[in-house]
């Protein structure tokens, strides 16, 4: 079994900061890319930031320069440091990890999602 668990959401005023964390645990052979998505009410879930196992990163244009994604491979953890938060950043933030497990002696690669953590930015 693989679990992906986020933490660190909350409510903050515009201009403030929050740090999200996400830990993957279980029978993991390898973790490939990890990322953060968000979904605001009435909107589709979309990519916020992504980081590969080698450390290559990609950001949504609107968060570039304000958000920083990083990971600790030894701890199977990915972080999202969010600075200069705006009300439009309000959403449920989901962690996703591209994980390889071994089943019946064969590698299986799949995306595993966390349950989401709420971020509310008030003006």
């Amino acid at each position: 079994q693989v679990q992906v668990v986020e933490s660190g959401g909350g409510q903050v005023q515009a201009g403030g900061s929050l740090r999200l964390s996400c830990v993957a645990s279980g029978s993991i052979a390898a973790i490939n890319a990890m990322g953060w998505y968000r979904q605001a009410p009435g909107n589709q879930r979309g990519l916020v930031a992504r980081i590969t196992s080698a450390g290559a990163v990609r950001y949504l244009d609107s968060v570039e320069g304000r958000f920083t994604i990083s990971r600790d491979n030894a701890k199977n953890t990915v972080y999202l440091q969010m600075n200069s938060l705006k009300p439009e950043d309000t959403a449920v933030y989901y962690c996703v990890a591209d994980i390889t497990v071994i089943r019946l002696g064969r590698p299986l690669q799949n995306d595993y999602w966390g349950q989401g953590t709420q971020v509310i930015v008030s003006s």
Side-chain angles (χ1 to χ4, degrees):
Q1 290 281 25
V2 173
Q3 282 192 316
V4 174
V5 179
E6 306 101 333
S7 61
Q11 185 165 357
V12 66
Q13 288 193 325
S17 298
L18 283 174
R19 189 192 196 208
L20 305 183
S21 300
C22 169
V23 180
S25 62
S27 301
I28 296 170
I31 301 179
N32 309 302
M34 302 183 81
W36 292 93
Y37 282 68
R38 68 186 182 188
Q39 186 169 19
N43 291 346
Q44 290 188 333
R45 191 177 301 187
L47 177 69
V48 176
R50 181 180 182 271
I51 184 168
T52 68
S53 57
V57 300
R58 180 159 58 101
Y59 295 98
L60 176 69
D61 286 349
S62 63
V63 308
E64 184 95 49
R66 299 188 297 121
F67 291 10
T68 302
I69 188 170
S70 60
R71 64 189 283 175
D72 184 334
N73 291 330
K75 296 181 179 179
N76 291 347
T77 300
V78 64
Y79 306 98
L80 186 67
Q81 178 66 44
M82 304 185 294
N83 298 330
S84 302
L85 281 161
K86 303 176 181 180
E88 51 263 43
D89 295 318
T90 295
V92 177
Y93 284 70
Y94 297 90
C95 175
V96 61
D98 178 357
I99 292 174
T100 300
V101 299
I102 304 299
R103 291 288 182 266
L104 300 177
R106 299 170 60 183
L108 290 177
Q109 188 171 353
N110 208 346
D111 285 340
Y112 292 83
W113 290 83
Q115 79 289 349
T117 185
Q118 178 74 58
V119 171
I120 298 173
V121 184
S122 55
S123 56

